Amino acid sequence: GGVRADSVHVALAQALESDDRVLLAQCLDVTNQRVIETTVARLPPRTVPALLRKVVAKFQLRPARSVTLVAWIRALLTQHTALLMSQPDLVKSLTPLYQLVEARVSTYHKLLKL
């Protein structure tokens, strides 16, 4: 199984447009930073906000997977900043991510004080 590195963007766009959760999960299992960045750069712009929402939702549900998902979130936010900033409802979608990151940073600082 799995998705070939050179075609992750095609599979990912297909997964988003058909709401295929299994295919989406296979795509998001990719951990190679270069493949993630290339994939995100090649995505059709119409799929970017939906992907960000889905990745953030997965991040919230399974924080243990956060290392892999953070790579996807970082690539989406850095490569599609202008597009994402033009989405007024996106701030609502990112609020839980911000809160989760803030909680982790706060916990980390408390641990450092021990």
Side-chain angles (χ1 to χ4, degrees):
V3 180
R4 286 185 34 199
D6 61 347
S7 63
V8 178
H9 68 285
V10 174
L12 190 51
Q14 181 183 340
L16 290 165
E17 290 171 1
S18 64
D19 201 24
D20 184 332
R21 292 178 185 186
V22 173
L23 185 56
L24 178 64
Q26 287 178 342
C27 293
L28 295 179
D29 279 343
V30 170
T31 57
N32 181 298
Q33 190 64 40
R34 186 176 299 139
V35 173
I36 291 172
E37 289 173 6
T38 303
T39 297
V40 168
R42 292 178 175 172
L43 282 175
R46 70 185 177 280
T47 64
V48 170
L51 177 59
L52 184 59
R53 284 187 187 93
K54 288 181 185 289
V55 174
V56 167
K58 285 181 176 293
F59 182 86
Q60 289 176 265
L61 289 173
R62 297 185 53 205
R65 274 197 70 201
S66 64
V67 173
T68 305
L69 296 174
V70 163
W72 286 95
I73 293 168
R74 183 186 311 120
L76 284 161
L77 292 176
T78 56
Q79 293 187 38
H80 295 286
T81 307
L83 171 69
L84 294 170
M85 294 302 287
S86 71
Q87 306 283 318
D89 61 328
L90 195 64
V91 173
K92 283 185 241 166
S93 301
L94 293 178
T95 299
L97 174 65
Y98 175 76
Q99 291 168 339
L100 188 60
V101 169
E102 279 293 306
R104 288 202 173 186
V105 168
S106 174
T107 302
Y108 178 71
H109 286 299
K110 288 176 187 169
L111 289 172
L112 286 177
K113 290 179 182 178
L114 292 178

